[in-house]
C-alpha cells in the first residue's frame, strides 16, 4: 500500500492505473477510522480495481471555536487498518499541500449548504465542497463513497458533482451502528459514559419513527413531535438542533411522510454534535 503526501505523486500513480483501464474507487476521510469508514472502503474494494483513501483533517470545514485542534487523529492505526483492507493508496497531505497561503477559491453549493446544519455552521459545507472538489481533481475517481450518516453532506456533494460535471459516481452507503445502535462517528470518543448513554435516544427514536411509518403513519407533525419529545426526555445533556422530515433532493420539509422522505436529526450531546437519520 502506498502512503503519499504529494499531489503530483498521487496524480502520477492514478494516471498509470487509468492507462491500464483500472476503475478507481475513492473514500475521502478525516481519519480516526471506524467500521463506518471501513464499510466504504470495502465497497470501493469490491466495486473497483483500485481503492484510494484520503486522510485529511480539513481545516476549512471547521468554524471558529470548533474542534479542529481536538479532532481525534491516529495516523499509524489508520494506515494499519487500511493496509489490512487491501487499499492501494492512502493520500495523507499536509494542510500546506492542500492550501496555498494565498488560496482564494471556494466551491459553494448554494441553498442546500445553508439549511439544517448549514444554518448554525454557515461556512462548514463550503469547506467540505471545496476540499472534496480538490480531492476529486487530484484522484479523479470513477466512484466515490460517502456515509449516509452525513446525509446532507452527501446530497450537497451529489449536487456539486452534477453542477460542475465531475466524472465520478457518488455512492451513499448505509449507516453503520455500534451494537447498541449509536451511529458510528469519530466524534463518539468525545462522549462521557453518561452522555453516551443519553445519546442512544437518537438511534432509538429513529428506529421508532421507521417502525411507526412502516405501520402506516404518514403524519409528519406526529412523527416530529414524538421524536422531539423522546429526545427531550432522555437527558439534560441533549440539545436538539433540528428534527425534521425532508425531501431527499431539495432538503425541504415535506407535508406528508412519503416513500423516500428522510427523517434528519442533529443533536448536541454536551459539546458533541451527533447526527442520525432514516430514509422512509
Ligand atoms: O465526512 C468527512 O469525513 C469529511 O467531511 C470529508 C468528506 C472527508 C471532507 O473533509
Amino acid at each position: 500500500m502506498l502512503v503519499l503526501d504529494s499531489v503530483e505523486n498521487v496524480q502520477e500513480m492514478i494516471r498509470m492505473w487509468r492507462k491500464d483501464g483500472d476503475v478507481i474507487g475513492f473514500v475521502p476521510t478525516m481519519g480516526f477510522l471506524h467500521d463506518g469508514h471501513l464499510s466504504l472502503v470495502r465497497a470501493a474494494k469490491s466495486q473497483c480495481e483500485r481503492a484510494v483513501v484520503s486522510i485529511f483533517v480539513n481545516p476549512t470545514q471547521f468554524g471558529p471555536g470548533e474542534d479542529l485542534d481536538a479532532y481525534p487523529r491516529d495516523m499509524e492505526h489508520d494506515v494499519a487498518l487500511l493496509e489490512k483492507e487491501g487499499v492501494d493508496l492512502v493520500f495523507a497531505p499536509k494542510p500546506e499541500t492542500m492550501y496555498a497561503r494565498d488560496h482564494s477559491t471556494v466551491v459553494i453549493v448554494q441553498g442546500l449548504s445553508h439549511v439544517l446544519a448549514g444554518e448554525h455552521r454557515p461556512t462548514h459545507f463550503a469547506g467540505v465542497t471545496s476540499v472534496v472538489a480538490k480531492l476529486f481533481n487530484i484522484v479523479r475517481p470513477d466512484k466515490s463513497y460517502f456515509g449516509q450518516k452525513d446525509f446532507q453532506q452527501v446530497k450537497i456533494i451529489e449536487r456539486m458533482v452534477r453542477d460542475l460535471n465531475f466524472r465520478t459516481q457518488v455512492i451513499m452507503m448505509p449507516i453503520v451502528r455500534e451494537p447498541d445502535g449509536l451511529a458510528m462517528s469519530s466524534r463518539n470518543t468525545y462522549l462521557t459514559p453518561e452522555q453516551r448513554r443519553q445519546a442512544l435516544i437518537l438511534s432509538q427514536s429513529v428506529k421508532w419513527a421507521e417502525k411507526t411509518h412502516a405501520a402506516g403513519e404518514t403524519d409528519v407533525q406526529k412523527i416530529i413531535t414524538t421524536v422531539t419529545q423522546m429526545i427531550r426526555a432522555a437527558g439534560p445533556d441533549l440539545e436538539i438542533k433540528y428534527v425534521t422530515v425532508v425531501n431527499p433532493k431539495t432538503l425541504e420539509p415535506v407535508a406528508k411522510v412519503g416513500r423516500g422522505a428522510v427523517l434528519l436529526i442533529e443533536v448536541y450531546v454536551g459539546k458533541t454534535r451527533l447526527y442520525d437519520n432514516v430514509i422512509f
Side-chain angles (χ1 to χ4, degrees), residues 5 32 68 96 104-105 111 116 134-135 154 181 200 214 217 226 231 236 271 273 278-279:
D5 64 2
F32 209 70
L68 172 61
E96 55 271 30
S104 45
T105 305
L116 302 166
K134 284 167 71 65
L135 291 166
V154 183
L200 287 182
E217 184 60 80
T226 308
I231 297 171
K271 283 193 173 148
R273 183 173 43 251
V278 60
I279 304 172

Side-chain angles (χ1 to χ4, degrees), residues 27-31 37 54 56-58 61 71 124 127-129 131-132 135 146 150 153 157:
V27 182
T29 81
M30 298 210 298
H37 297 110
S54 64
F56 180 60
V57 182
N58 172 37
Q61 68 189 76
Y71 195 83
H124 169 65
V128 171
T129 41
V131 81
V132 171
L135 291 166
F146 295 87
D150 299 309
Q153 168 171 282
I157 289 167

Side-chain angles (χ1 to χ4, degrees), residues 150-208:
D150 299 309
F151 187 85
Q152 183 176 8
Q153 168 171 282
V154 183
K155 294 296 130 178
I156 289 169
I157 289 167
E158 282 175 356
R159 180 71 65 87
M160 176 187 79
V161 163
R162 187 202 69 183
D163 288 354
L164 298 185
N165 305 100
F166 282 104
R167 284 189 54 255
T168 191
Q169 182 189 355
V170 174
I171 298 170
M172 181 168 76
M173 298 298 294
I175 296 175
V176 177
R177 297 182 181 281
E178 301 286 356
D180 60 8
L182 184 67
M184 287 196 182
S185 163
S186 304
R187 288 192 168 92
N188 290 349
T189 53
Y190 295 156
L191 300 171
T192 64
E194 172 52 22
Q195 288 174 338
R196 202 189 172 297
R197 191 193 62 70
Q198 292 178 35
L200 287 182
I201 196 62
L202 272 80
S203 55
Q204 287 165 356
S205 60
V206 158
K207 203 173 269 172
W208 172 84

Side-chain angles (χ1 to χ4, degrees), residues 63-190:
E66 288 190 354
D67 58 339
L68 172 61
D69 294 336
Y71 195 83
R73 294 157 166 91
D74 191 345
M75 184 62 84
E76 220 172 283
H77 187 239
D78 288 347
V79 166
L81 284 176
L82 296 175
E83 177 112 59
K84 218 162 125 200
E85 294 296 330
V87 164
D88 297 279
L89 192 164
V90 175
F91 176 45
K94 297 191 175 65
E96 55 271 30
T97 302
M98 290 299 277
Y99 294 109
R101 275 171 68 98
D102 58 349
H103 77 97
S104 45
T105 305
V106 179
V107 178
I108 300 180
V109 174
Q110 303 286 4
L112 297 185
S113 298
H114 300 117
V115 296
L116 302 166
E119 275 189 31
H120 52 276
R121 303 184 76 199
T123 57
H124 169 65
F125 288 114
V128 171
T129 41
S130 297
V131 81
V132 171
K134 284 167 71 65
L135 291 166
F136 282 171
N137 280 332
I138 295 164
V139 177
R140 293 201 296 135
D142 298 283
K143 297 173 192 272
S144 42
Y145 297 83
F146 295 87
Q148 184 190 316
K149 178 178 66 64
D150 299 309
F151 187 85
Q152 183 176 8
Q153 168 171 282
V154 183
K155 294 296 130 178
I156 289 169
I157 289 167
E158 282 175 356
R159 180 71 65 87
M160 176 187 79
V161 163
R162 187 202 69 183
D163 288 354
L164 298 185
N165 305 100
F166 282 104
R167 284 189 54 255
T168 191
Q169 182 189 355
V170 174
I171 298 170
M172 181 168 76
M173 298 298 294
I175 296 175
V176 177
R177 297 182 181 281
E178 301 286 356
D180 60 8
L182 184 67
M184 287 196 182
S185 163
S186 304
R187 288 192 168 92
N188 290 349
T189 53
Y190 295 156

